[in-house]
Amino acid sequence: NECTFIAVKPDGVQRKLVGEIVRRFERRGFKLVGLKLVRVSEDLLREHYWDLRTKTFFSGLITYMSSGPIVAMVWQGLDVVKTARKMLGETNPADSLPGTIRGDFCVEVGRNVIHGSDSVESAQKEISLWFRQNELQCWDPSSSRWVYN
Ligand code: GTP
Ligand code: MG
């Protein structure tokens, strides 16, 4: 079953959006399989955003992401990678529709409150970068048969 890596960035934690964000994923019908509040090393963040290493905003991005605790999560479900990206909105909050997380809670690309994996492959990489296997729970939500037919 497909999983994605979602992180409430330091601004999202400071702005007390954790509950709201978890709520949206729960209510959509996705299954929480991992969750922790962490401060990670700049090395881990550089690896996480490796594809952006040549961008002018890269060092600012690493500073932003290491400026406070992050809530790291793994969510599982049908097409969760693609659906989560839709729930997040566009990279730039100015382009994000109301109803999306970025479209409802932020205004600037450099403080866009949440991360979501952009493909199934990057989700797998990110989950193994941020979580140990024993931090992920296999469980059977009693609501499954009301979410899936
Ligand atoms: P993530 O879910 O965080 O990976 O965002 P994304 O996949 O929508 O965008 P991308 O991976 O291209 O960029 C990663 C993050 O870098 C963004 O979420 C922003 O926080 C930051 N970022 C991207 N573009 C810019 C930019 O032009 N300026 C600044 N300051 N930050 C940017
Ligand atoms: Mg990205």
Side-chain angles (χ1 to χ4, degrees):
N1 210 334
E2 189 171 303
C3 284
T4 194
F5 174 69
I6 299 293
V8 184
K9 296 180 179 184
D11 51 333
V13 175
Q14 292 285 356
R15 295 184 51 210
K16 304 183 158 54
L17 296 172
V18 173
E20 170 68 30
I21 288 166
V22 169
R23 180 173 182 263
R24 289 186 180 210
F25 281 86
E26 280 187 322
R27 286 168 45 131
R28 184 69 188 248
F30 292 126
K31 173 166 77 166
L32 182 64
V33 300
L35 182 148
K36 59 184 178 179
L37 179 72
V38 286
R39 273 191 98 134
V40 294
S41 66
E42 292 194 5
D43 279 352
L44 186 145
L45 293 167
R46 276 189 218 102
E47 194 169 340
H48 175 79
Y49 281 129
W50 181 248
D51 293 348
L52 302 174
R53 65 194 178 283
T54 60
K55 303 286 185 187
T56 52
F57 58 82
F58 186 71
S59 72
L61 175 61
I62 301 305
T63 305
Y64 161 43
M65 291 294 289
S66 52
S67 64
I70 289 173
V71 172
M73 300 183 273
V74 178
W75 289 91
Q76 188 177 60
L78 183 67
D79 277 331
V80 66
V81 171
K82 197 171 121 203
T83 302
R85 294 280 292 190
K86 287 189 189 159
M87 291 166 67
L88 265 56
E90 301 299 318
T91 305
N92 188 344
D95 301 326
S96 299
L97 290 175
T100 64
I101 293 166
R102 288 168 178 161
D104 286 346
F105 302 119
C106 52
V107 293
E108 226 185 16
V109 68
R111 294 288 184 273
N112 62 357
V113 307
I114 188 165
H115 162 81
S117 308
D118 60 11
S119 67
V120 173
E121 301 91 291
S122 33
Q124 283 162 354
K125 272 190 223 154
E126 291 169 3
I127 291 165
S128 59
L129 182 65
W130 288 75
F131 283 89
R132 297 164 187 274
Q133 196 54 242
N134 68 4
E135 293 176 315
L136 302 175
Q137 303 301 323
C138 273
W139 62 293
D140 191 14
S142 58
S143 57
S144 286
R145 70 190 190 97
W146 305 109
V147 175
Y148 297 102
N149 81 18

